Amino acid sequence: MTYDSNNIFAKILRGEIPCQKIDEDEYTFSFADINPQAPVHILVIPKGAYCDWADFAATASAVEMAAFIKSIHRVAELTGISKTGYRVISNTCLLYTSPSPRDATLS
C-alpha cells in the first residue's frame, strides 16, 4: 500500500486541519479525537509516512518505535488515565480505505 500524503492525519501534522493537541515530540503527535468513543479518546500518530500499524511495525526504525511507545505512556500520564487504566487500539488499512488510519487510540 502506498502512503497518501493527503490523508487526514498528514493534514493534521501539517497544520492544515485544526486539532486539540495533547503532546508532540520529534517522532509523534497526539491529539484529542473529534468524535470520542470514550471519556478520554486520544490519537497518537507517528510523524513518519506510514500507511498503518503493519507498515509502521515493518519499516519504522527502532528509535521511532520506542518514541511511539513512550509517547503513549506520556499521554496516559498527561491525561491522568495511567492511574485508572486504559487500552491501546490500532487500526490497519485492511479495515478502512479512507482516511488512511495510522493511529493508536487511548481510551
Side-chain angles (χ1 to χ4, degrees), residues 19-81:
C19 69
Q20 181 187 346
K21 182 172 88 168
I22 304 298
D23 185 60
E24 181 177 15
D25 65 20
E26 182 179 354
Y27 300 103
T28 65
F29 189 82
S30 306
F31 55 97
D33 193 290
I34 61 169
N35 186 25
Q37 302 298 304
V40 178
H41 189 160
I42 309 297
L43 283 73
V44 179
I45 61 173
K47 288 184 174 178
Y50 301 103
C51 293
D52 61 11
W53 180 254
D55 184 23
F56 180 78
T59 61
S61 70
V63 171
E64 290 172 298
M65 289 182 187
F68 191 80
I69 299 298
K70 289 180 179 188
S71 177
I72 292 170
H73 172 72
R74 195 169 52 249
V75 168
E77 290 286 318
L78 287 170
T79 58
I81 61 174

